[in-house]
Amino acid sequence: MMVLGLVIQQQDTAAGVGRRLADQFASARFPRSSAHNNLPSLARQGLLRVVEQGSKRSLDRYEATPQGTARFREWLRESSPEPPALRDPLHAKLELCEEEDLLGLIEVIGEEEKACQQVYAAAHGRLIARRHFEGTRTRDTAWAARLQGTLITDEAMMWGMRTKRLQRLREELEDIRDELQRTRGGAGDG
Amino acid sequence: MAELSSLVAVSKSYVRGEGRLRVLVDVSLRVDRGEIVAVVGSRDEGKTTLLKVASGIEEADQGEVWLGDLDLTRCTDRERSRLLGDEVTWTSREGPGVRLEVWDYVGLPLVMGRGRGRREVRGRATQALERVGVSGCARQRWEDLSSWERVLVALARAIVSRPRLMVIDDLLDGLGMRRTQEAGEMLRSLVDELGCGVLMSASDLETALIAERVWSFSRGRLTLMSDQARAEANIIDFPSDARQSRDSHGAGS
């Protein structure tokens, strides 16, 4: 749907859509092949059409059909009564680990925490940079600018919360490790 | 940017029963002129203690606390109370605690032991209230204000003495995205206008995004989450007479 949405925003080639996917949805880390695979598939479904044939397939330029635009708007308004499935490998690791894995897990969580903190800092940086351009808004673009600000804030908060959650998990595991060491030390003394 | 306030390897604990509760553990932090620094953490973790130590309200057990070139750990109580109000303002959502009209509450930092007359104090308080857009609240009481008006009145109190350092304790939490953004813009314009620095605490991450530098506070320790001041300036400028101890502890790193 993101590929379809990007082509609705503007006609584009697979290479162009691929670049915009990477820019606008950086955190999603879509594979390079996403645009190349999805554009022809969406065209086969009648949701896109080729408006300009390139020298090779990756240079074909696509636009959305009225059916594609309608399908996209329908998707925007779709809601799900269920929360999304939560498949966090860390949950599985915590559920299935043994005592001997504890030290390794503390390290793994610490590394993930650092990675999330860096993404948080990057989103925070974009937010600060955006504030410098606040004055350049026109009335027509004000709503879009505000939406963009909301989106970056949301992204920063998501990564910030993830960082804090990992910090808390790591600290809890460190407490368990210390408690185990104390118990062992006490048992040894006796 | 010039260094305004710094904590170097600060520790503090309180006696609890037979043991001691460690609230600050080897904390180092700095605030530069023109900068907003946020410390984000859960309630009751010790953020307020950190802010009180930075502003000279409470003493550290160990470490150094600087306001510019002044070592707060070597100041007398009298010197510290003079600084608090003139050079450093402390503000939170708690309000005056007694029934005061807003302009008298806002003017409090100008009053304590400074021999200023009521007319002068109220005049400056009115100017501060005008600056943040709530001069209409001057004759009201804290209890009668909306939560947003309280935030603005607290900011007026923070700027009334044109301090070098504003210390803001959990004032901006839970305002919602729009109001948080407004408060952030207001705070930024006040900092630019006064050339001061801000050290603020926050329980929610949204509030912390106002700041250029965000620290996570947990179990008495600080972890740097984001440093956009450094990203912008690229280099943090230590004063040429930087003290040896600061270098060795890497304050603000």
Side-chain angles (χ1 to χ4, degrees):
Chain A
M1 273 302 150
M2 292 177 200
V3 170
L4 178 57
L6 287 172
V7 179
I8 291 171
Q9 274 190 341
Q10 65 178 70
Q11 297 178 359
D12 212 339
T13 62
V17 171
R19 264 195 305 276
R20 288 160 66 210
L21 265 181
D23 284 349
Q24 289 176 244
F25 304 97
S27 304
R29 281 183 274 168
F30 286 112
R32 280 170 153 258
S33 56
S34 285
H36 290 273
N37 295 339
N38 279 293
L39 287 169
S41 160
L42 290 164
R44 280 195 297 277
Q45 295 170 57
L47 303 176
L48 298 179
R49 65 176 162 240
V50 176
V51 284
E52 194 183 313
Q53 208 86 41
S55 55
K56 48 184 180 176
R57 269 183 64 185
S58 64
L59 296 177
D60 288 350
R61 182 170 293 277
Y62 291 84
E63 73 171 8
T65 61
Q67 191 192 344
T69 305
R71 175 70 196 96
F72 183 74
R73 296 274 162 249
E74 197 181 306
W75 172 78
L76 273 183
R77 295 186 189 100
E78 267 173 18
S79 66
S80 163
E82 295 282 324
L86 187 63
R87 292 192 187 121
D88 183 349
L90 194 53
H91 270 172
K93 287 178 183 178
L94 289 170
E95 180 71 35
L96 302 170
C97 74
E98 302 287 344
E99 195 183 313
E100 70 214 46
D101 301 316
L102 201 55
L103 290 181
L105 266 180
I106 290 171
E107 212 168 293
V108 164
I109 294 173
E111 281 165 15
E112 199 175 322
E113 179 187 331
K114 199 170 174 189
C116 289
Q117 175 262 316
Q118 283 168 354
V119 189
Y120 166 81
H124 182 210
R126 286 202 299 283
L127 203 58
I128 297 272
R130 196 182 152 273
R131 285 181 200 148
H132 294 306
F133 298 104
E134 286 284 288
T136 60
R137 284 184 201 170
T138 64
R139 258 180 89 173
D140 289 343
T141 59
W143 77 271
R146 191 170 156 195
L147 185 65
Q148 191 63 25
T150 304
L151 197 63
I152 303 173
T153 302
D154 186 59
E155 190 189 338
M157 283 177 64
M158 198 170 67
W159 288 109
M161 282 191 278
R162 203 170 167 89
T163 308
K164 293 291 282 179
R165 169 201 168 225
L166 290 166
Q167 182 183 22
R168 191 179 51 78
L169 268 177
R170 177 179 52 75
E171 287 171 349
E172 290 295 330
L173 293 192
E174 284 168 352
D175 280 354
I176 295 172
R177 174 201 62 194
D178 295 347
E179 185 64 39
L180 280 170
Q181 281 170 354
R182 266 196 301 276
T183 315
R184 297 260 162 69
D189 293 343
Chain B
M1 261 188 276
E3 182 175 306
L4 193 60
S5 164
S6 66
L7 274 65
V8 184
V10 165
S11 294
K12 183 168 180 67
S13 59
Y14 296 111
V15 176
R16 287 287 181 274
E18 288 179 9
R20 291 190 78 84
L21 177 68
R22 300 210 303 166
V23 183
L24 304 179
V25 183
D26 199 25
V27 165
S28 293
L29 167 82
R30 66 183 267 181
V31 182
D32 289 338
R33 199 175 295 279
E35 183 179 55
I36 303 174
V37 175
V39 175
V40 62
S42 311
R43 288 186 194 280
D44 297 326
E45 282 249 36
K47 299 190 303 291
T48 300
T49 302
L50 170 61
L51 265 54
K52 283 183 173 171
V53 169
S55 52
I57 297 174
E58 286 200 29
E59 288 183 55
D61 297 339
Q62 280 175 3
E64 300 169 19
V65 183
W66 295 88
L67 180 67
D69 290 331
L70 198 62
D71 181 356
L72 295 185
T73 56
R74 294 176 191 273
C75 288
T76 62
D77 287 349
R78 193 188 170 94
E79 285 168 329
R80 278 206 304 271
S81 66
R82 186 196 62 77
L83 287 171
L84 194 65
D86 282 352
E87 308 270 342
V88 181
T89 50
W90 169 275
T91 194
S92 71
R93 261 192 206 185
E94 281 174 12
V98 290
R99 285 180 68 79
L100 279 180
E101 287 183 359
V102 161
W103 57 356
D104 291 329
Y105 171 58
V106 168
L108 273 182
L110 302 170
V111 174
M112 295 169 290
R114 288 168 177 83
R116 291 190 178 102
R118 174 177 277 201
R119 182 190 292 255
E120 182 195 342
V121 169
R122 284 185 167 173
R124 285 180 61 180
T126 304
Q127 283 173 4
L129 288 164
E130 272 167 9
R131 174 61 188 85
V132 298
V134 284
S135 54
C137 298
R139 308 293 298 272
Q140 287 179 265
R141 293 184 193 280
W142 180 264
E143 299 76 23
D144 302 325
L145 303 176
S146 70
S147 59
W148 177 238
E149 285 168 338
R150 286 180 184 186
V151 166
L152 296 174
V153 165
L155 288 177
R157 187 172 186 271
I159 60 167
V160 73
S161 60
R162 304 183 69 83
R164 279 200 283 169
L165 177 68
M166 285 193 249
V167 182
I168 299 178
D169 187 30
D170 279 357
L171 175 71
L172 308 175
D173 279 339
L175 293 174
M177 194 181 273
R178 191 81 190 128
R179 286 295 198 199
T180 302
Q181 196 182 338
E182 268 183 65
E185 284 165 11
M186 170 70 75
L187 195 56
R188 168 46 54 205
S189 71
L190 294 172
V191 167
D192 290 345
E193 195 174 302
L194 298 177
C196 62
V198 172
L199 176 60
M200 60 179 270
S201 65
S203 300
D204 73 52
L205 282 158
E206 190 174 353
T207 310
L209 290 171
I210 288 173
E212 284 87 31
R213 192 176 294 172
V214 181
W215 292 88
S216 166
F217 185 73
S218 178
R219 301 187 176 201
R221 294 177 191 276
L222 285 174
T223 313
L224 186 62
M225 284 186 79
S226 178
D227 186 354
Q228 298 311 315
R230 174 169 290 201
E232 278 182 22
N234 214 13
I235 298 167
I236 289 186
D237 222 355
F238 275 95
S240 53
D241 63 344
R243 286 157 286 268
Q244 182 69 35
S245 56
R246 292 197 208 193
D247 288 338
S248 62
H249 285 104
S253 57

